[in-house]
Amino acid sequence: MRSGPIRLTNLTLRRGGRDVVRGLNGVFASGSLTAIAGANGAGKSTLLQALCGLLPPAAGRIDRGGLDPRDFALLPQDGRLDRSFPISCRDVVALGWTGHLGLFGRIGPAHYAAADRALAAVGLPDLGDRPIGELSAGQFQRVLFARTIVRDAQVVLLDEPFSAVDAATEADLMAIVQDWHRQGRTVAVVLHDLDLIQSSFPEVLLLGEHGAVWGATATVLTAHAMRDVHLRVRLPGAMAGAMEAAA
C-alpha cells in the first residue's frame, strides 16, 4: 500500500485567533514514519487535524498526493469518545467502518467479524461485549487502535497515543505502528518521548514557536535544534547535558 507524498507549502494554521504553525514547508514521503514533537501549544495536534481535512489552512497549501481526506485515519487525544456512553468495545471498533460505508451505511456481520479480528490483534480477543466504561486506560487505547486497524487507511495520524498507557501496552501498540509502516502506509505520530523517537522513528518534525526543523531523526534531534524550537520536554540524561553545555 503506497500513497503519494504529502507536501506542505508555506503552511500556516490558526487556532484560537492566533497562528500556531507558520510558514511550514516539507514532505511526508510515501510510506514514511514520522514523529512530530515540540513544546505545548506548538501546533502538533492542529497539524494532524489539518492533514486530514478537519481544519482549513489559514495560508499556504496541503497537497495530499491525490488522496481524499477520507483516506486518512486520525486517532485524536483521549479518543473524543464519552466513555460513560453505554457502548461495547466491538461496536466502538465497528464504527471504524463508517469511513468506508458513510454515516448511513449499514454495519453488518462481516464488519463485526473484522472488528473482532482487530480486537484480537490488539490483545483484547475476549472483550468485544464489554462496555467501554469498564476498561482501563490502556485497554481503551487498544480499542481505539483496533478501530484504526478497521479503518484500513493509507495515512495514519496518531496524537499522543501512548500518553496514558503502561510500558507493556506501549510496546504492543508500537508494534502495530511499525507494522503499518512495513505495509507501506504513511504514519505520523505526535510524541513527547524523545527516547522512543530516537529508537523507533526514522524521521522527526520539531515544531516550535519560532520555526520548525524537519528531517532524519539523527540529524534533527540535536541540542541546538531543540533549543531553537524551544522544546520543553523531559530529555534523556546525555541530551540534557548537551543542551546545558550548548546554552
Side-chain angles (χ1 to χ4, degrees):
M1 174 180 292
R2 287 282 177 178
S3 60
I6 302 168
R7 301 182 184 276
L8 312 183
T9 305
N10 200 29
L11 181 66
T12 295
L13 301 174
R14 185 166 296 157
R15 176 75 71 187
R18 70 180 186 92
D19 294 343
V20 294
V21 174
R22 300 182 187 88
L24 180 61
N25 292 283
V27 178
F28 293 97
S30 176
S32 58
L33 176 59
T34 306
I36 302 173
N40 291 334
K44 303 181 297 295
S45 300
T46 301
L47 176 59
L48 294 191
Q49 292 165 13
L51 289 173
C52 63
L54 295 177
L55 180 73
R61 184 167 181 259
I62 301 174
D63 181 349
R64 296 184 177 87
L67 294 177
D68 187 273
R70 290 174 296 182
D71 297 316
F72 290 65
L74 171 64
L75 196 164
Q77 292 183 49
D78 302 324
R80 290 186 177 176
L81 187 64
D82 181 0
R83 291 180 60 187
S84 68
F85 190 78
I87 186 172
S88 71
C89 296
R90 180 181 293 109
D91 285 331
V92 169
V93 176
L95 287 173
W97 284 103
T98 58
H100 301 283
L101 302 175
L103 292 176
F104 302 103
R106 181 179 179 183
I107 298 174
H111 303 116
Y112 281 111
D116 285 335
R117 290 193 295 272
L119 284 169
V122 300
L124 301 177
D126 303 318
L127 297 189
D129 294 326
R130 182 170 297 184
I132 59 171
E134 297 180 4
L135 301 180
S136 68
Q139 288 172 328
F140 184 60
Q141 196 69 354
R142 288 175 187 264
V143 168
L144 297 180
F145 262 70
R147 184 177 64 180
T148 305
I149 290 173
V150 164
R151 284 288 310 277
D152 194 27
Q154 295 188 55
V155 180
V156 180
L157 309 173
L158 309 175
D159 195 352
E160 298 190 31
F162 311 129
S163 61
V165 303
D166 58 26
T169 299
E170 178 182 297
D172 289 344
L173 297 182
M174 189 63 213
I176 295 172
V177 172
Q178 296 283 9
D179 191 48
W180 283 327
H181 179 47
R182 284 190 293 271
Q183 293 168 8
R185 304 176 200 267
T186 302
V187 184
V189 185
V190 171
L191 289 172
H192 287 287
D193 187 339
L194 298 185
D195 288 328
L196 180 60
I197 293 173
Q198 288 180 309
S199 65
S200 303
F201 287 80
E203 299 183 29
V204 62
L205 166 60
L206 286 181
L207 291 174
E209 183 180 354
H210 301 294
V213 187
W214 195 346
T217 299
T219 302
V220 171
L221 284 188
T222 65
H224 178 74
M226 287 186 291
R227 186 185 63 214
D228 283 352
V229 298
H230 303 286
L231 183 60
R232 296 186 180 92
V233 297
R234 184 180 61 83
L235 303 176
M239 188 172 294
M243 287 191 73
E244 289 175 3

